[in-house]
Amino acid sequence: MLVNLLATVSVLLVVFWLTYESNLVSEHLQVIESISLKTKQLSILEKELLLDATINEAFYINPGETIVKEYNDLCLAIKQKLTASESFFEDKLLLSSIDSNLNTRAAFFNELVAKVLERGFKGYGTEGQMRELAHLIEERAIAEDRQEVMVLMLRRHEKDFLIRKENIYIERFNAEFSNFESHIELTYPNDSLKATYSTLLRNYRSKFLRIVELEYEIGHTSRTGLRQRLAQEAALFDKSINNVRKMAIDKSLNAQRNIRIAIITIFLITLANNLFLGWLLNKNVARPVQVLSVIIHEFVKSRFSKVIQPDIMREDEVGRLSKDFLYMQKHISDSFLELSAQSEQIAKTQKELYDSMRYAQTIQEAILPDNDDFALLFSEYFAIYKPKNLVSGDFYWVYRRKKRSFWAVGDCTGHGVPGALMSMISLSLLNKIVGQNKIYEPAAILEMLHDELRSALHQEQNKNNDGLELALCCAEWHTENEFKIQFAGAKSNLIYFVEGVPTKLRGTKRTIGGKRSRSHDKVFENQTFIVPPQSTFYLYSDGIADQHNEENKKLGSYGLLELIQQYATLDIPTQHAELSAAIEAYIGNQTQRDDITLLSVRLY
């Protein structure tokens, strides 16, 4: 009896203690999540300072009432939450490091604000003072053409530096300033006028050079000046908070696991002890113990979910054992039911995600050309379209306009849902450019698609660098027995066959969309040629050439050309079947690396 009582009390004490620990960890985890959220808000405010606040006049009028106050309030709130959870930190040095890191980050931010305020904008700060001096100099220079030209050159170099942030414009400004100063020295015999004019000019130059210093101190990019130091401190702080968050999650999981282990372990120890004592005290206990054994087996078999009432109505040790076991069954069952409910919720969420992806697949397939669209333009055709996931970043497109037939294959950045969204935007823009804007030359279409995509994604203002590669053809009758074909490609190529002879045309080495780079200086090239009817054309995405087989060998562009040439003399439906089977065989048991698209058309 005493042993049973001690075992039961032990179970309750261990469970209550572990539950208490788990609740403490959960509360701390909530605090850490709150800190993580406020940390993200800090990062947003730091970006807003450089992107929006610095070109907003309200910021310079009341800087303490805008973003600065919000930033400092967030830092104070984070400090308070860190102090509140101080008891949780076993490593006090880590807490001290996080606090120090936050102080440094806030100091860099406030220093950055001070520099930005000093630098100013339009009529505020150093830039405002520089502009005012420039206007005074311009008013004096109006009386003489040469001086007016010199002022305009100074202002031009000043503005060039403010826009481009390149040292060459500082050198040009200083050179022009020296010329202007020499001109004043020779032009004004009156020392008083000369001194006044020179003072204005030197003050103007002083303000400009101070702006240059401030620009370098602030940083032209996130990798220089105060912007770099602030970004580094932000990264260190985020890393520390993520480490603390991971520690809290690990402790929470360990506490929950320990609760289950403690319940099951003490339950088994207590059960074994009671069985042993029952066997020693009375042999008549054998049958009730056997009943309890069966119940235990059924309980374990049901994965601790089915609570079974022992049919033992006694007041001795066996009776108390059965009551204790029933009590333990209920507590263990409740714990496992809670875990089961969580698992079901995860499964439900996964199913909803999969259903959403299937619906997105249906939408994407609906906007791709169907058989009726192809039949209006070509005598024969086929499309091999294999998304890596349910939805694809590849697409193909056909269009008919004023006796011209257009067809294209595009490969957008990424695959899956992001790629699919890009493909739908690209299809919509192609329809607009050809259908509404009436642009029919492939190279011009690619150029307009580049501009429209960058505008639609606001790539001049944000860090979005998404784009696409595209191969585009246009066919129209040249004579009664000849077609005129125009081709342009953005890092995409064309393969076509005339009477069984293959030709490969390469597109321009430039993508559509994305951040401006040196490749954007290249102009899309329009390639024009004449072919007879029944010529066959192949456009494709790079997912085919980049695919590896089971020997980890890439197919490559040459291998793709050989594969197409192997079946090019067959009729189009047979080509479709053979090429599809060949691609599947090449992939084998390897994972498909990218979306795959191959479009073939044969002219009438």
Side-chain angles (χ1 to χ4, degrees):
M1 179 177 178
L2 180 59
V3 173
N4 288 337
L5 179 60
L6 289 175
T8 303
V9 171
S10 298
V11 171
L12 293 175
L13 288 176
V14 171
V15 171
F16 289 152
W17 178 74
L18 290 174
T19 303
Y20 173 75
E21 287 292 316
S22 178
N23 290 338
L24 285 180
V25 173
S26 297
E27 291 175 4
H28 180 72
L29 187 57
Q30 291 177 2
V31 173
I32 295 301
E33 293 294 349
S34 176
I35 292 175
S36 296
L37 177 61
K38 293 185 183 301
T39 300
K40 292 178 181 177
Q41 293 173 335
L42 285 180
S43 299
I44 292 172
L45 290 177
E46 289 165 356
K47 292 177 182 177
E48 287 180 356
L49 171 66
L50 297 169
L51 294 177
D52 299 324
T54 54
I55 57 173
N56 187 343
E57 293 186 4
F59 172 75
Y60 297 93
I61 297 172
N62 293 306
E65 298 298 325
T66 55
I67 194 171
V68 179
K69 183 177 184 301
E70 187 177 354
Y71 188 95
N72 291 328
D73 288 344
L74 279 172
C75 289
L76 179 60
I78 291 174
K79 281 179 169 290
Q80 291 172 345
K81 288 189 176 294
L82 286 172
T83 302
S85 60
E86 182 178 2
S87 60
F88 181 81
F89 285 87
E90 297 175 358
D91 187 354
K92 301 301 180 184
L93 290 176
L94 176 59
L95 179 61
S96 176
S97 174
I98 293 174
D99 185 71
S100 175
N101 184 234
L102 180 61
N103 289 336
T104 305
R105 182 176 181 177
F108 282 153
F109 179 83
N110 287 310
E111 184 180 355
L112 183 61
V113 170
K115 297 292 184 184
V116 169
L117 287 173
E118 182 183 353
R119 188 226 179 273
F121 175 68
K122 290 187 176 180
Y124 300 92
T126 305
E127 183 175 337
Q129 296 168 7
M130 180 184 70
R131 288 189 175 197
E132 185 176 348
L133 289 168
H135 292 324
L136 291 174
I137 294 171
E138 287 173 344
E139 289 173 2
R140 289 178 176 270
I142 291 174
E144 182 180 345
D145 291 342
R146 185 178 177 188
Q147 290 183 14
E148 187 175 1
V149 170
M150 288 182 172
V151 172
L152 290 175
M153 291 302 295
L154 281 175
R155 294 305 307 276
R156 176 186 173 183
H157 298 324
E158 164 211 319
K159 291 176 181 177
D160 282 345
F161 172 79
L162 294 179
I163 294 171
R164 297 177 176 84
K165 309 293 191 299
E166 294 177 4
N167 290 337
I168 185 65
Y169 300 112
I170 302 174
E171 297 172 3
R172 293 175 181 176
F173 180 93
N174 287 330
E176 192 64 37
F177 172 84
S178 298
N179 293 336
F180 203 163
E181 197 171 45
S182 300
H183 176 74
I184 292 173
E185 185 69 28
L186 297 173
T187 303
Y188 288 91
N190 187 312
D191 290 340
S192 175
L193 290 175
K194 182 189 302 182
T196 301
Y197 209 163
S198 295
T199 299
L200 280 175
L201 194 61
R202 290 193 187 97
N203 288 343
Y204 168 66
R205 177 173 179 266
S206 174
K207 296 300 180 182
F208 171 75
L209 293 179
R210 179 54 184 159
I211 289 177
V212 171
E213 293 174 359
L214 289 170
E215 287 287 355
Y216 279 103
E217 290 173 6
I218 292 170
H220 295 166
T221 67
S222 60
R223 295 182 180 179
T224 59
L226 279 172
R227 293 177 63 182
Q228 180 189 28
R229 295 163 69 188
L230 180 60
Q232 290 172 342
E233 289 298 327
L236 288 173
F237 185 78
D238 292 344
K239 182 178 180 181
S240 299
I241 292 300
N242 287 334
N243 288 338
V244 172
R245 183 175 178 273
K246 185 178 182 300
M247 289 168 51
I249 292 174
D250 290 341
K251 284 191 175 184
S252 177
L253 294 174
N254 287 335
Q256 295 174 16
R257 183 168 59 251
N258 290 338
I259 290 174
R260 293 193 292 271
I261 292 173
I263 292 173
I264 295 173
T265 301
I266 298 177
F267 162 72
L268 294 175
I269 292 173
T270 304
L271 178 61
N273 182 62
N274 279 290
L275 290 174
F276 178 72
L277 289 177
W279 180 80
L280 288 177
L281 292 174
N282 193 339
K283 293 182 180 180
N284 293 329
V285 177
R287 193 190 67 80
V289 170
Q290 185 178 11
V291 172
L292 283 176
S293 178
V294 172
I295 292 174
I296 292 171
H297 177 74
E298 292 296 324
F299 184 55
V300 175
K301 186 178 178 181
S302 69
R303 300 183 63 84
F304 308 102
S305 62
K306 182 180 179 182
V307 177
I308 304 173
Q309 174 73 47
D311 188 18
I312 301 173
M313 307 299 294
R314 295 168 59 168
E315 294 299 324
D316 57 5
E317 285 79 1
V318 175
R320 286 188 287 275
L321 173 61
S322 66
K323 292 179 181 178
D324 292 342
F325 176 66
L326 178 61
Y327 175 82
M328 292 178 190
Q329 279 191 94
K330 291 179 178 178
H331 279 72
I332 294 173
S333 178
D334 289 344
S335 297
F336 276 85
L337 284 174
E338 183 179 352
L339 290 175
S340 177
Q342 293 174 355
S343 298
E344 291 176 1
Q345 182 60 40
I346 292 173
K348 180 182 178 183
T349 302
Q350 289 178 333
K351 183 180 182 302
E352 290 174 351
L353 180 60
Y354 181 77
D355 290 344
S356 297
M357 290 282 286
R358 292 290 298 180
Y359 187 65
Q361 181 188 32
T362 302
I363 294 173
Q364 187 176 40
E365 289 176 349
I367 65 175
L368 290 173
D370 55 20
N371 289 334
D372 292 338
D373 297 322
F374 278 105
L376 290 173
L377 306 178
F378 309 107
S379 64
E380 293 182 288
Y381 53 86
F382 73 81
I384 296 175
Y385 187 65
K386 288 175 60 62
K388 181 180 184 296
N389 302 311
L390 286 176
V391 290
S392 173
D394 285 4
F395 66 89
Y396 53 92
W397 173 76
V398 297
Y399 202 86
R400 178 78 172 178
R401 186 72 177 183
K402 291 187 178 295
K403 297 182 180 181
R404 295 180 177 88
S405 298
F406 298 87
W407 67 101
V409 167
D411 182 357
C412 299
T413 301
H415 42 74
V417 174
L421 291 174
M422 280 289 295
S423 71
M424 288 190 279
I425 293 172
S426 301
L427 282 167
S428 175
L429 291 175
L430 281 171
N431 289 329
K432 174 187 173 184
I433 292 168
V434 178
Q436 297 180 20
N437 297 348
K438 299 179 181 179
I439 306 298
Y440 304 133
E441 184 183 80
I445 292 172
L446 297 189
E447 194 65 56
M448 180 165 284
L449 179 59
H450 172 77
D451 295 337
E452 291 282 351
L453 189 62
R454 281 172 54 80
S455 174
L457 299 179
H458 303 289
Q459 292 181 332
E460 288 289 350
Q461 293 82 30
N462 57 40
K463 295 183 178 180
N464 181 282
N465 199 28
D466 294 328
L468 72 147
E469 300 170 1
L470 185 76
L472 173 63
C473 291
C474 173
E476 59 182 308
W477 285 105
H478 181 62
T479 66
E480 291 184 358
N481 297 313
E482 290 180 321
F483 281 100
K484 174 185 174 183
I485 307 297
Q486 296 183 75
F487 164 73
K491 291 190 75 175
S492 295
N493 305 322
L494 164 67
I495 297 173
Y496 69 93
F497 286 77
V498 176
E499 297 178 351
V501 178
T503 302
K504 182 176 181 179
L505 298 182
R506 297 186 180 278
T508 306
K509 290 184 177 181
R510 170 189 170 188
T511 59
I512 295 172
K515 293 287 186 181
R516 179 165 181 82
S517 64
R518 290 182 179 178
S519 67
H520 289 163
D521 295 333
K522 296 180 180 179
V523 177
F524 287 118
E525 180 183 357
N526 210 50
Q527 303 181 55
T528 304
F529 52 96
I530 305 299
V531 297
Q534 296 301 303
S535 298
T536 309
F537 297 79
Y538 300 88
L539 300 179
Y540 51 90
S541 65
D542 61 8
I544 304 177
D546 291 342
Q547 180 61 45
H548 289 235
N549 62 8
E550 293 180 353
E551 298 175 356
N552 203 30
K553 179 182 177 183
K554 188 164 71 171
L555 179 62
S557 58
Y558 182 74
L560 176 61
L561 177 59
E562 282 189 330
L563 187 64
I564 294 174
Q565 193 170 3
Q566 183 179 350
Y567 303 106
T569 58
L570 303 176
D571 59 87
I572 290 295
T574 305
Q575 283 191 50
H576 186 193
E578 294 293 340
L579 283 170
S580 295
I583 291 171
E584 290 290 347
Y586 189 85
I587 296 173
N589 294 325
Q590 279 279 48
T591 301
Q592 184 175 329
R593 296 194 169 201
D594 198 359
D595 301 319
I596 291 176
T597 301
L598 172 62
L599 175 64
S600 175
V601 300
R602 180 168 289 169
L603 299 177
Y604 283 104

